[in-house]
């Protein structure tokens, strides 16, 4: 009996220490000058907003979330995404979705991203939360911060980092639903429309005292597994998208450089998601992967048919045995491991096309 009691005491102490560690990790004690993280964008940054309204663009079913959270959270990944890692490096808790009903803690930041979202209002209107609406939601948060926590807490807004992944759906959606939309413009004219909408939102945040902006450039959408699967030239990248991607990334950088010169205190970082993913697709073994082109989860050529159960039809799909060997988890989104590699690079300053890395933006 005596030995049992010692074991019980040891187990109790161990469990208690684990509980304390877990709680402190979830809600770190931060100095008053901490920099919150506000997140905007599409499915690359979505953490569950789409769970709370009627849309088929959700990831709230298995196998999403299986390798880290052990349950689906709404993230289009087997685990975490780039903002989750950046929050960890910045000593912040996981940033919750804006629409989460029990979320009343805004001082660390909020995630407004919505799968399927675009910078343009017309992009999947009615089935997702577009970037302009995300800006409106952010403005609601600024009012809430001032009302509940006072002007002192609202002073965190200039210290905050505003993190974006947006634009890919603005090119993909019209291409597959009504190509004539793109045909009405030259490549540069259409890119200017998309960039103009992004610029409007960035300026809107600046007007609410936002100063530190981090953006991903447009990734290689021509080579996503589901885009490859739709290409008449089976398995090849769909090069019709390539001119848009190149022009978008060049124009995004130019616009932000202009804003930096024009707006007092404006700082920005552009992370080269395009080159990062291209290298891992083309040379997977160099970065510790086995498969760079096909999806771990999906069906058809390259796992490119976008179905993983849930509200998608058909529901049958194949799932790889070792997700850590794959660059893509599903037909359009990378794996937890890829996101972690990218987050480490942009935090430290690699894969950055501008003077500021993510760490520098938080140290202001």
């Amino acid at each position: 009996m005596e030995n049992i009691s010692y074991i019980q005491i040891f187990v109790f102490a161990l469990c208690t220490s684990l509980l304390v560690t877990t709680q402190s990790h979830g809600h770190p004690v931060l100095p008053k000058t901490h920099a919150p993280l506000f997140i905007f964008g599409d499915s690359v940054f979505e953490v569950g907003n789409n769970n709370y309204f009627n849309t088929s663009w959700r990831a709230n079913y298995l196998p999403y979330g299986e390798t880290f959270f052990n349950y689906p959270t709404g993230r289009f990944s087997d685990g975490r995404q780039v903002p989750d890692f950046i929050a960890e490096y910045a000593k912040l808790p996981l940033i919750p979705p804006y629409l989460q009903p029990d979320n009343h803690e805004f001082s660390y930041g909020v995630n407004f991203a919505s799968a399927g979202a675009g910078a343009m209002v017309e992009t999947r209107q009615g089935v997702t939360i577009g970037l302009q609406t995300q800006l409106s939601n952010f403005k609601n948060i600024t009012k809430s911060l001032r009302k509940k926590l006072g002007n002192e807490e609202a002073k965190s807004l200039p210290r905050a980092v505003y993190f974006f992944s947006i634009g890919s759906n603005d090119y993909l959606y019209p291409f597959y639903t009504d190509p004539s939309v793109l045909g009405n413009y030259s490549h540069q004219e259409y890119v200017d429309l998309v960039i103009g909408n992004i610029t409007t939102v960035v300026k809107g945040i600046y007007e609410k005292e936002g100063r530190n902006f981090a953006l991903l450039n447009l990734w290689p959408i021509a080579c996503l597994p589901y885009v490859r699967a739709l290409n008449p030239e089976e398995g090849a990248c769909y090069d019709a998208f390539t001119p848009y991607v190149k022009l978008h990334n060049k124009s995004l950088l130019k616009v932000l450089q202009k804003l930096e010169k024009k707006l007092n205190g404006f700082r920005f970082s552009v992370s080269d998601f395009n080159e990062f993913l291209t290298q891992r697709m083309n040379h997977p073994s160099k970065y510790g992967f086995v498969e760079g082109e096909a999806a771990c989860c999906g069906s058809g050529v390259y796992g490119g048919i976008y179905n993983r159960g849930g509200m998608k039809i058909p529901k049958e799909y194949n799932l790889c045995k070792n997700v850590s060997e794959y660059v893509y988890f599903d037909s359009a989104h990378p794996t937890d491991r890829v996101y972690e590699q990218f987050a480490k690079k942009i935090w430290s300053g690699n894969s950055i096309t501008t003077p500021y890395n993510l760490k520098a933006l938080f140290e202001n």
Side-chain angles (χ1 to χ4, degrees), residues 193-269:
L193 289 175
V194 176
I195 296 296
N197 278 272
I198 296 173
T199 305
T200 297
V201 172
V202 169
K203 286 181 176 178
I205 295 171
Y206 181 87
E207 290 170 1
K208 292 296 179 181
E209 302 186 77
R211 295 296 181 267
N212 304 296
F213 295 85
L215 298 92
L216 305 191
N217 68 7
L218 205 61
W219 46 330
I221 56 176
C223 302
L224 296 176
Y226 94 88
V227 177
R228 288 178 186 269
L230 292 171
N231 191 350
E233 297 180 25
E234 189 173 294
C237 295
Y238 213 148
D239 285 335
F241 291 107
T242 302
Y244 292 105
V245 173
K246 289 182 177 179
L247 287 171
H248 179 102
N249 290 343
K250 188 179 296 185
S251 298
L252 178 66
L253 188 58
K254 286 182 178 178
V255 164
L256 292 169
Q257 288 170 336
K258 288 180 180 178
L259 290 178
E260 185 180 36
K261 294 177 180 178
K262 182 179 178 181
L263 303 177
N264 185 43
F266 183 93
R267 305 197 306 168
F268 77 95
S269 171

Side-chain angles (χ1 to χ4, degrees), residues 28-338:
V29 178
L30 298 175
K32 289 184 178 180
T33 57
H34 77 274
L37 177 59
F38 293 100
I39 301 158
F40 302 81
D42 50 31
S43 56
V44 175
F45 282 4
E46 154 91 71
V47 297
N49 280 308
N50 285 16
N51 294 349
Y52 301 106
F53 65 95
N54 186 25
T55 179
S56 62
W57 291 87
R58 294 180 180 174
N60 60 342
Y61 48 87
L62 290 172
Y64 288 115
E66 64 170 14
T67 61
F68 181 78
F69 298 100
N70 298 317
Y71 66 92
T73 63
R75 291 167 173 81
F76 285 77
S77 169
D78 60 300
R80 295 155 293 182
Q81 295 172 313
V82 174
D84 298 319
F85 292 106
I86 297 303
E88 177 186 343
Y89 304 155
K91 297 182 169 38
L92 297 169
L94 289 175
I95 306 302
Y98 172 73
L99 292 181
Q100 183 175 302
D102 60 349
N103 178 30
H104 305 294
E105 174 56 74
F106 303 133
S107 61
Y108 301 129
V110 185
N111 188 316
F112 302 99
S114 173
M120 299 175 68
V121 174
E122 299 80 5
T123 300
R124 293 203 176 93
Q125 192 171 14
V127 297
T128 188
I129 307 169
L131 189 61
Q132 308 298 325
T133 303
Q134 292 179 36
L135 174 61
S136 297
N137 293 338
F138 167 71
K139 290 179 178 179
N140 290 336
I141 289 294
T142 63
K143 293 177 184 177
S144 178
L145 280 171
R146 288 188 170 90
K147 184 176 179 180
K148 291 182 178 181
L149 304 171
N151 288 330
E152 189 62 33
E153 185 64 36
K155 289 180 181 178
S156 65
L157 295 174
R159 294 193 301 268
V161 174
Y162 301 86
F163 200 12
F164 287 75
S165 170
I166 197 73
S168 61
N169 291 306
D170 294 297
Y171 303 102
L172 292 168
Y173 177 68
F175 189 87
Y176 291 117
T177 57
D178 186 3
S180 65
V181 172
L182 295 174
N184 291 330
Y185 305 92
S186 70
H187 289 139
Q188 187 65 64
E189 286 172 340
Y190 191 80
V191 166
D192 288 344
L193 289 175
V194 176
I195 296 296
N197 278 272
I198 296 173
T199 305
T200 297
V201 172
V202 169
K203 286 181 176 178
I205 295 171
Y206 181 87
E207 290 170 1
K208 292 296 179 181
E209 302 186 77
R211 295 296 181 267
N212 304 296
F213 295 85
L215 298 92
L216 305 191
N217 68 7
L218 205 61
W219 46 330
I221 56 176
C223 302
L224 296 176
Y226 94 88
V227 177
R228 288 178 186 269
L230 292 171
N231 191 350
E233 297 180 25
E234 189 173 294
C237 295
Y238 213 148
D239 285 335
F241 291 107
T242 302
Y244 292 105
V245 173
K246 289 182 177 179
L247 287 171
H248 179 102
N249 290 343
K250 188 179 296 185
S251 298
L252 178 66
L253 188 58
K254 286 182 178 178
V255 164
L256 292 169
Q257 288 170 336
K258 288 180 180 178
L259 290 178
E260 185 180 36
K261 294 177 180 178
K262 182 179 178 181
L263 303 177
N264 185 43
F266 183 93
R267 305 197 306 168
F268 77 95
S269 171
V270 174
S271 302
D272 196 350
F273 200 30
N274 187 290
E275 179 64 17
F276 175 89
L277 274 180
T278 298
Q279 287 298 316
R280 280 153 184 77
M281 286 190 295
N282 294 341
H283 312 286
S285 60
K286 182 178 178 180
Y287 302 97
F289 298 97
V290 174
E291 177 56 59
E293 297 178 346
C296 165
C297 185
S299 60
V301 179
Y302 287 92
I305 297 177
Y306 192 70
N307 61 323
R308 269 149 309 287
M311 300 174 73
K312 298 295 180 184
I313 298 174
K315 297 182 183 298
E316 294 77 19
Y317 61 88
N318 300 313
L319 183 65
C320 66
K321 292 181 179 179
N322 190 350
V323 65
S324 66
E325 295 179 347
Y326 282 69
V327 171
Y328 286 98
F329 179 62
D330 69 14
S331 56
H333 305 96
T335 59
D336 176 291
R337 188 167 175 232
V338 168

